[in-house]
Amino acid sequence: MQNSSHEISAIDGVTGHEFATTVQTVLHAWKFPGLPTVSFDDKTHDILIDGKSRRANGKGVRALMNAAFKIGVLLYCRKKELPHPGIVVLDSPLLSYRDPLTSRHGELAADEKEVKDSGLKEHFYRFLGACPYNGLRIKRGGF
């Protein structure tokens, strides 16, 4: 939101909480390990999972957090009847499922291994298939 001086206004606590709850619902539907609590950091305008920022997680978990954030924006906007283009493009959201033996990224971090072993991949695709908004697209590899 912008005010008259063209500054970006802050997201209030209630809005941040409602958005975080939407993202938490997404992660729970995916069966994200530990059924995390999601909160909204009003300083960085980003989500926290169990109080941890994206940077505190491995690359694969960060990719999942990014996907959950983007899908959360779509779902939140639809629920609140806010404008949204209705299209979400996810760039390699299941990066944590890469093969550590053939990947140039090396061994999986502990949090990535936990996600890989959780069955999240199947729940992720099931969730996307059941999503009532058909504007979700997944990019795998290059264009």
Side-chain angles (χ1 to χ4, degrees), residues 62-128:
R62 288 193 313 267
L64 288 170
M65 289 176 73
N66 185 47
F69 186 98
K70 289 177 179 180
I71 292 170
V73 169
L74 169 67
L75 297 176
Y76 180 83
C77 287
R78 295 295 188 210
K79 179 180 173 184
K80 295 292 187 175
E81 298 181 357
L82 297 170
H84 189 284
I87 297 172
V88 174
V89 177
L90 304 175
D91 184 0
S92 307
L94 299 177
L95 185 62
S96 59
Y97 294 101
R98 62 186 163 78
D99 181 353
L101 299 178
T102 61
S103 173
R104 62 183 169 89
H105 299 291
E107 292 294 320
L108 296 175
D111 59 349
E112 293 174 316
K113 182 161 178 23
E114 183 179 7
V115 168
K116 184 178 188 306
D117 294 340
S118 73
L120 181 142
K121 182 177 182 178
E122 291 77 22
H123 295 288
F124 173 85
Y125 284 116
R126 196 172 296 135
F127 175 88
L128 293 184

Coordinates of all heavy atoms in Angstrom, one line a residue, residues 62-128:
R62 N 14.6 -23.0 1.9 CA 14.3 -21.7 1.5 C 13.4 -21.7 0.3 O 12.5 -20.8 0.1 CB 15.6 -20.9 1.2 CG 16.4 -20.6 2.5 CD 17.5 -19.6 2.3 NE 18.3 -19.8 1.1 CZ 19.5 -20.5 1.2 NH1 19.9 -21.0 2.4 NH2 20.2 -20.7 0.1
A63 N 13.6 -22.6 -0.7 CA 12.8 -22.7 -1.9 C 11.4 -23.0 -1.5 O 10.4 -22.5 -2.1 CB 13.4 -23.7 -2.8
L64 N 11.2 -23.9 -0.6 CA 9.8 -24.3 -0.1 C 9.2 -23.1 0.6 O 8.0 -22.8 0.4 CB 9.9 -25.5 0.8 CG 10.1 -26.8 0.2 CD1 10.4 -27.9 1.2 CD2 9.0 -27.2 -0.8
M65 N 9.9 -22.4 1.4 CA 9.4 -21.2 2.1 C 9.0 -20.1 1.0 O 7.9 -19.5 1.2 CB 10.4 -20.6 3.0 CG 10.6 -21.4 4.3 SD 11.9 -20.7 5.3 CE 11.1 -19.3 6.1
N66 N 9.8 -20.0 0.0 CA 9.4 -19.0 -1.1 C 8.1 -19.4 -1.8 O 7.3 -18.6 -2.0 CB 10.6 -18.9 -2.0 CG 10.4 -17.9 -3.1 OD1 10.0 -16.8 -2.8 ND2 10.6 -18.2 -4.3
A67 N 8.0 -20.7 -2.1 CA 6.8 -21.2 -2.7 C 5.6 -21.0 -1.9 O 4.5 -20.6 -2.3 CB 7.0 -22.7 -3.1
A68 N 5.7 -21.3 -0.6 CA 4.6 -21.2 0.4 C 4.2 -19.7 0.5 O 3.0 -19.4 0.6 CB 5.0 -21.7 1.7
F69 N 5.2 -18.8 0.5 CA 5.0 -17.4 0.6 C 4.1 -16.9 -0.6 O 3.1 -16.2 -0.5 CB 6.3 -16.6 0.7 CG 6.1 -15.1 0.9 CD1 6.3 -14.6 2.2 CD2 5.9 -14.2 -0.2 CE1 6.1 -13.2 2.4 CE2 5.8 -12.9 0.1 CZ 5.9 -12.4 1.3
K70 N 4.6 -17.3 -1.8 CA 3.9 -16.9 -3.1 C 2.5 -17.4 -3.1 O 1.6 -16.7 -3.5 CB 4.7 -17.3 -4.3 CG 6.0 -16.5 -4.5 CD 6.8 -17.1 -5.7 CE 8.1 -16.3 -5.9 NZ 8.8 -16.8 -7.0
I71 N 2.3 -18.7 -2.8 CA 1.0 -19.3 -2.8 C 0.1 -18.6 -1.7 O -1.1 -18.4 -1.9 CB 1.1 -20.8 -2.7 CG1 1.7 -21.4 -3.9 CG2 -0.3 -21.4 -2.4 CD1 2.1 -22.9 -3.8
G72 N 0.8 -18.3 -0.6 CA 0.0 -17.7 0.5 C -0.5 -16.3 0.1 O -1.6 -15.9 0.4
V73 N 0.3 -15.6 -0.7 CA -0.1 -14.3 -1.2 C -1.4 -14.4 -2.1 O -2.4 -13.7 -1.9 CB 1.0 -13.5 -2.0 CG1 0.4 -12.3 -2.7 CG2 2.1 -13.1 -1.0
L74 N -1.3 -15.4 -3.0 CA -2.5 -15.7 -3.8 C -3.7 -16.0 -3.0 O -4.8 -15.4 -3.2 CB -2.2 -16.8 -4.8 CG -3.4 -17.4 -5.6 CD1 -3.9 -16.3 -6.6 CD2 -3.0 -18.6 -6.3
L75 N -3.6 -17.0 -2.1 CA -4.7 -17.4 -1.3 C -5.3 -16.3 -0.4 O -6.5 -16.1 -0.3 CB -4.3 -18.6 -0.5 CG -4.0 -19.9 -1.3 CD1 -3.5 -21.0 -0.3 CD2 -5.1 -20.3 -2.1
Y76 N -4.3 -15.5 0.2 CA -4.7 -14.4 1.1 C -5.5 -13.4 0.3 O -6.6 -12.9 0.7 CB -3.5 -13.8 1.8 CG -3.9 -12.7 2.7 CD1 -4.3 -12.9 4.0 CD2 -3.8 -11.4 2.2 CE1 -4.7 -11.9 4.8 CE2 -4.2 -10.3 3.1 CZ -4.6 -10.6 4.4 OH -5.0 -9.5 5.2
C77 N -5.0 -13.0 -0.9 CA -5.6 -12.0 -1.7 C -7.0 -12.4 -2.1 O -8.0 -11.7 -2.1 CB -4.8 -11.6 -2.9 SG -3.3 -10.6 -2.5
R78 N -7.1 -13.7 -2.5 CA -8.5 -14.2 -3.0 C -9.4 -14.2 -1.8 O -10.6 -13.8 -1.9 CB -8.3 -15.6 -3.5 CG -7.5 -15.7 -4.8 CD -8.2 -14.9 -5.9 NE -7.5 -15.2 -7.2 CZ -7.5 -14.3 -8.2 NH1 -8.1 -13.2 -8.1 NH2 -6.8 -14.6 -9.3
K79 N -9.0 -14.6 -0.6 CA -9.8 -14.7 0.6 C -10.3 -13.3 1.0 O -11.5 -13.2 1.3 CB -9.0 -15.4 1.7 CG -9.8 -15.5 3.0 CD -8.9 -16.1 4.1 CE -9.6 -16.1 5.4 NZ -8.7 -16.6 6.5
K80 N -9.4 -12.3 0.9 CA -9.8 -11.0 1.3 C -10.3 -10.1 0.1 O -10.6 -8.9 0.3 CB -8.5 -10.3 1.9 CG -8.0 -10.9 3.1 CD -9.0 -10.7 4.2 CE -8.5 -11.1 5.6 NZ -9.4 -10.8 6.7
E81 N -10.5 -10.8 -1.0 CA -11.0 -10.1 -2.2 C -10.1 -8.9 -2.6 O -10.6 -7.8 -3.0 CB -12.5 -9.7 -2.1 CG -13.4 -10.9 -1.9 CD -14.9 -10.6 -1.8 OE1 -15.2 -9.4 -1.8 OE2 -15.6 -11.5 -1.7
L82 N -8.8 -9.1 -2.5 CA -7.8 -8.1 -2.9 C -7.3 -8.4 -4.3 O -7.4 -9.6 -4.7 CB -6.7 -8.1 -1.9 CG -7.0 -7.8 -0.5 CD1 -5.8 -8.1 0.4 CD2 -7.4 -6.3 -0.4
P83 N -6.9 -7.4 -5.0 CA -6.4 -7.7 -6.4 C -5.1 -8.6 -6.4 O -4.3 -8.5 -5.5 CB -6.0 -6.3 -6.9 CG -6.1 -5.4 -5.8 CD -6.8 -6.0 -4.7
H84 N -5.1 -9.5 -7.3 CA -4.0 -10.4 -7.6 C -4.1 -10.9 -9.0 O -5.2 -11.2 -9.5 CB -4.0 -11.6 -6.6 CG -2.8 -12.5 -6.7 ND1 -2.5 -13.3 -7.7 CD2 -1.8 -12.5 -5.8 CE1 -1.4 -13.9 -7.5 NE2 -0.9 -13.5 -6.3
P85 N -3.0 -11.0 -9.7 CA -3.1 -11.4 -11.1 C -3.6 -12.8 -11.3 O -4.0 -13.2 -12.4 CB -1.7 -11.2 -11.7 CG -0.8 -11.2 -10.5 CD -1.6 -10.6 -9.3
G86 N -3.6 -13.6 -10.3 CA -4.0 -15.0 -10.3 C -3.0 -15.9 -10.9 O -3.4 -17.1 -11.2
I87 N -1.8 -15.5 -11.1 CA -0.8 -16.4 -11.6 C 0.4 -16.4 -10.6 O 0.8 -15.4 -10.2 CB -0.2 -15.9 -13.0 CG1 -1.4 -15.9 -14.0 CG2 0.9 -16.7 -13.5 CD1 -1.0 -15.3 -15.3
V88 N 0.9 -17.6 -10.3 CA 2.0 -17.8 -9.5 C 3.0 -18.7 -10.2 O 2.6 -19.8 -10.6 CB 1.7 -18.4 -8.1 CG1 2.9 -18.7 -7.3 CG2 0.8 -17.5 -7.3
V89 N 4.2 -18.3 -10.4 CA 5.2 -19.1 -11.1 C 6.2 -19.5 -10.0 O 6.8 -18.7 -9.3 CB 6.0 -18.4 -12.2 CG1 7.1 -19.2 -12.8 CG2 5.0 -18.0 -13.3
L90 N 6.4 -20.8 -9.8 CA 7.3 -21.4 -8.8 C 8.6 -21.9 -9.6 O 8.5 -22.7 -10.4 CB 6.7 -22.5 -8.0 CG 5.3 -22.1 -7.3 CD1 4.7 -23.3 -6.7 CD2 5.6 -21.0 -6.3
D91 N 9.7 -21.4 -9.2 CA 11.0 -21.8 -9.8 C 11.7 -22.8 -8.9 O 12.2 -22.5 -7.9 CB 11.9 -20.6 -10.0 CG 13.2 -20.9 -10.7 OD1 13.4 -22.1 -11.1 OD2 14.0 -20.0 -10.9
S92 N 11.6 -24.1 -9.4 CA 12.2 -25.2 -8.7 C 11.9 -25.3 -7.2 O 12.8 -25.3 -6.4 CB 13.7 -25.1 -8.9 OG 14.1 -25.0 -10.3
P93 N 10.6 -25.3 -6.8 CA 10.3 -25.3 -5.4 C 10.7 -26.6 -4.6 O 10.8 -26.5 -3.4 CB 8.8 -25.2 -5.4 CG 8.4 -25.7 -6.7 CD 9.4 -25.4 -7.7
L94 N 10.9 -27.6 -5.3 CA 11.3 -28.9 -4.7 C 12.8 -29.2 -4.8 O 13.2 -30.3 -4.9 CB 10.5 -30.1 -5.2 CG 9.0 -29.9 -5.0 CD1 8.2 -31.1 -5.6 CD2 8.7 -29.8 -3.5
L95 N 13.6 -28.1 -4.8 CA 15.0 -28.2 -4.9 C 15.6 -29.2 -3.8 O 16.6 -29.8 -4.1 CB 15.7 -26.8 -4.7 CG 17.2 -26.7 -4.9 CD1 17.5 -27.2 -6.3 CD2 17.6 -25.3 -4.6
S96 N 14.9 -29.3 -2.7 CA 15.5 -30.2 -1.6 C 15.4 -31.6 -2.0 O 16.0 -32.5 -1.3 CB 14.7 -29.9 -0.3 OG 13.4 -30.2 -0.5
Y97 N 14.7 -32.0 -3.1 CA 14.7 -33.3 -3.6 C 15.7 -33.7 -4.5 O 15.8 -34.8 -5.1 CB 13.3 -33.6 -4.2 CG 12.2 -33.5 -3.1 CD1 11.5 -32.3 -3.0 CD2 12.1 -34.5 -2.2 CE1 10.6 -32.2 -2.0 CE2 11.2 -34.3 -1.1 CZ 10.4 -33.2 -1.1 OH 9.5 -33.0 0.0
R98 N 16.7 -32.8 -4.7 CA 17.8 -33.1 -5.6 C 18.6 -34.2 -5.1 O 18.7 -34.5 -3.9 CB 18.7 -31.8 -5.8 CG 19.3 -31.4 -4.5 CD 20.0 -30.1 -4.6 NE 20.2 -29.4 -3.4 CZ 21.2 -29.8 -2.5 NH1 22.0 -30.7 -2.8 NH2 21.4 -29.2 -1.4
D99 N 19.3 -34.9 -6.0 CA 20.1 -36.0 -5.6 C 21.5 -35.5 -5.2 O 22.2 -34.9 -5.9 CB 20.3 -37.0 -6.8 CG 21.2 -38.2 -6.5 OD1 21.7 -38.3 -5.4 OD2 21.3 -39.0 -7.4
P100 N 21.8 -35.7 -3.9 CA 23.1 -35.1 -3.4 C 24.3 -35.8 -4.0 O 25.4 -35.2 -4.0 CB 23.0 -35.4 -1.9 CG 22.1 -36.5 -1.7 CD 21.1 -36.4 -2.8
L101 N 24.2 -37.0 -4.6 CA 25.3 -37.6 -5.2 C 25.6 -37.1 -6.6 O 26.8 -37.1 -7.1 CB 25.0 -39.1 -5.3 CG 24.8 -39.8 -4.0 CD1 24.5 -41.3 -4.2 CD2 26.0 -39.7 -3.1
T102 N 24.6 -36.5 -7.3 CA 24.8 -36.0 -8.7 C 24.7 -34.5 -8.8 O 24.9 -33.9 -9.8 CB 23.9 -36.7 -9.7 OG1 22.5 -36.4 -9.3 CG2 24.1 -38.2 -9.7
S103 N 24.2 -33.9 -7.7 CA 24.0 -32.5 -7.7 C 25.3 -31.7 -7.5 O 26.1 -32.0 -6.7 CB 23.0 -32.1 -6.6 OG 22.9 -30.7 -6.5
R104 N 25.4 -30.5 -8.2 CA 26.5 -29.6 -8.0 C 26.4 -28.9 -6.7 O 27.3 -28.2 -6.3 CB 26.6 -28.7 -9.2 CG 25.5 -27.8 -9.4 CD 25.6 -26.9 -10.6 NE 24.4 -26.2 -10.9 CZ 24.1 -25.0 -10.5 NH1 24.9 -24.4 -9.7 NH2 23.0 -24.4 -10.9
H105 N 25.3 -29.0 -6.0 CA 25.1 -28.3 -4.7 C 25.6 -29.0 -3.5 O 25.6 -28.5 -2.4 CB 23.6 -28.0 -4.5 CG 23.0 -27.1 -5.6 ND1 23.3 -25.8 -5.8 CD2 22.1 -27.4 -6.6 CE1 22.7 -25.3 -6.8 NE2 22.0 -26.3 -7.3
G106 N 26.1 -30.3 -3.7 CA 26.7 -31.0 -2.6 C 25.6 -31.7 -1.8 O 24.5 -31.9 -2.1
E107 N 26.1 -32.1 -0.6 CA 25.2 -32.9 0.4 C 24.0 -32.0 0.8 O 24.1 -30.8 0.9 CB 26.0 -33.3 1.6 CG 27.1 -34.3 1.3 CD 26.5 -35.7 0.9 OE1 25.5 -36.1 1.4 OE2 27.1 -36.3 -0.1
L108 N 22.9 -32.7 1.2 CA 21.8 -32.0 1.7 C 22.1 -31.5 3.1 O 22.7 -32.2 3.9 CB 20.6 -33.0 1.8 CG 20.0 -33.5 0.4 CD1 18.9 -34.5 0.7 CD2 19.5 -32.4 -0.4
A109 N 21.6 -30.3 3.4 CA 21.7 -29.9 4.8 C 20.7 -30.7 5.7 O 19.8 -31.4 5.1 CB 21.3 -28.4 4.9
A110 N 20.8 -30.7 7.0 CA 20.0 -31.5 7.8 C 18.5 -31.2 7.7 O 17.7 -32.1 7.6 CB 20.4 -31.3 9.3
D111 N 18.2 -29.9 7.6 CA 16.8 -29.5 7.4 C 16.2 -30.0 6.0 O 15.1 -30.4 5.9 CB 16.5 -28.0 7.6 CG 17.3 -27.1 6.7 OD1 18.2 -27.6 6.0 OD2 17.0 -25.9 6.7
E112 N 17.1 -30.0 5.0 CA 16.7 -30.4 3.7 C 16.5 -31.9 3.7 O 15.5 -32.4 3.1 CB 17.8 -30.1 2.6 CG 18.0 -28.6 2.4 CD 19.1 -28.3 1.5 OE1 20.2 -28.9 1.7 OE2 18.9 -27.5 0.6
K113 N 17.3 -32.7 4.4 CA 17.2 -34.1 4.5 C 15.8 -34.5 5.2 O 15.1 -35.4 4.8 CB 18.3 -34.8 5.2 CG 18.2 -36.3 5.3 CD 19.5 -36.9 5.6 CE 19.5 -38.4 5.7 NZ 18.4 -39.1 5.1
E114 N 15.5 -33.7 6.3 CA 14.3 -34.0 7.0 C 13.1 -33.7 6.1 O 12.1 -34.5 6.1 CB 14.2 -33.0 8.2 CG 12.9 -33.3 9.0 CD 12.9 -32.4 10.3 OE1 13.7 -31.4 10.4 OE2 12.0 -32.6 11.1
V115 N 13.1 -32.7 5.2 CA 12.0 -32.4 4.3 C 12.0 -33.5 3.3 O 10.9 -34.0 2.9 CB 12.2 -31.0 3.6 CG1 11.3 -30.9 2.5 CG2 12.0 -29.9 4.7
K116 N 13.1 -33.9 2.7 CA 13.2 -35.0 1.7 C 12.5 -36.3 2.2 O 11.8 -37.0 1.5 CB 14.6 -35.2 1.3 CG 14.7 -36.2 0.1 CD 16.2 -36.4 -0.3 CE 16.4 -37.2 -1.5 NZ 15.7 -38.5 -1.5
D117 N 12.8 -36.6 3.5 CA 12.3 -37.9 4.0 C 10.9 -37.8 4.5 O 10.3 -38.8 5.0 CB 13.2 -38.3 5.2 CG 14.6 -38.6 4.7 OD1 14.8 -38.9 3.5 OD2 15.5 -38.6 5.6
S118 N 10.2 -36.6 4.4 CA 8.9 -36.4 5.1 C 7.7 -36.8 4.2 O 6.6 -36.9 4.7 CB 8.7 -35.0 5.5 OG 8.5 -34.2 4.3
G119 N 7.9 -37.0 2.9 CA 6.7 -37.3 2.0 C 6.1 -36.0 1.6 O 5.0 -36.0 0.9
L120 N 6.7 -34.9 1.8 CA 6.2 -33.6 1.5 C 5.9 -33.4 0.0 O 5.0 -32.8 -0.5 CB 7.1 -32.5 1.9 CG 6.7 -31.0 1.7 CD1 7.1 -30.1 2.8 CD2 7.3 -30.5 0.4
K121 N 6.8 -34.0 -0.8 CA 6.7 -33.9 -2.3 C 5.3 -34.3 -2.8 O 4.7 -33.6 -3.6 CB 7.8 -34.8 -2.9 CG 7.8 -34.7 -4.4 CD 9.0 -35.6 -5.0 CE 9.1 -35.5 -6.5 NZ 10.3 -36.3 -6.9
E122 N 4.8 -35.5 -2.3 CA 3.5 -36.0 -2.8 C 2.4 -35.0 -2.3 O 1.5 -34.7 -3.1 CB 3.3 -37.4 -2.3 CG 4.2 -38.4 -2.9 CD 5.6 -38.4 -2.4 OE1 5.9 -37.9 -1.3 OE2 6.5 -38.9 -3.2
H123 N 2.5 -34.6 -1.1 CA 1.4 -33.6 -0.5 C 1.5 -32.3 -1.2 O 0.4 -31.7 -1.5 CB 1.6 -33.5 1.0 CG 1.4 -34.7 1.7 ND1 0.2 -35.3 1.9 CD2 2.3 -35.6 2.4 CE1 0.3 -36.4 2.6 NE2 1.5 -36.6 2.9
F124 N 2.7 -31.8 -1.6 CA 2.8 -30.6 -2.3 C 2.1 -30.7 -3.7 O 1.3 -29.8 -4.0 CB 4.3 -30.4 -2.6 CG 4.6 -29.2 -3.5 CD1 4.7 -27.9 -2.9 CD2 4.9 -29.4 -4.8 CE1 5.0 -26.8 -3.8 CE2 5.2 -28.3 -5.7 CZ 5.3 -27.0 -5.1
Y125 N 2.3 -31.7 -4.4 CA 1.6 -31.8 -5.7 C 0.1 -32.0 -5.6 O -0.7 -31.5 -6.4 CB 2.3 -32.9 -6.6 CG 3.6 -32.5 -7.2 CD1 4.8 -33.1 -6.8 CD2 3.6 -31.4 -8.1 CE1 6.0 -32.7 -7.3 CE2 4.9 -31.0 -8.6 CZ 6.0 -31.6 -8.2 OH 7.2 -31.2 -8.8
R126 N -0.3 -32.8 -4.6 CA -1.7 -33.0 -4.3 C -2.4 -31.7 -4.0 O -3.5 -31.4 -4.5 CB -1.9 -34.0 -3.1 CG -3.3 -34.6 -3.0 CD -3.3 -35.7 -2.0 NE -2.5 -36.8 -2.4 CZ -1.7 -37.5 -1.6 NH1 -1.5 -37.2 -0.4 NH2 -0.9 -38.5 -2.1
F127 N -1.7 -30.9 -3.2 CA -2.2 -29.5 -2.8 C -2.4 -28.7 -4.1 O -3.5 -28.1 -4.3 CB -1.3 -28.8 -1.8 CG -1.7 -27.4 -1.5 CD1 -2.6 -27.2 -0.4 CD2 -1.2 -26.4 -2.2 CE1 -3.0 -25.9 -0.1 CE2 -1.6 -25.1 -1.9 CZ -2.4 -24.8 -0.9
L128 N -1.4 -28.6 -4.9 CA -1.5 -27.8 -6.1 C -2.6 -28.3 -7.0 O -3.3 -27.5 -7.6 CB -0.1 -27.8 -6.9 CG 1.0 -27.1 -6.2 CD1 2.2 -27.1 -7.1 CD2 0.7 -25.7 -5.8

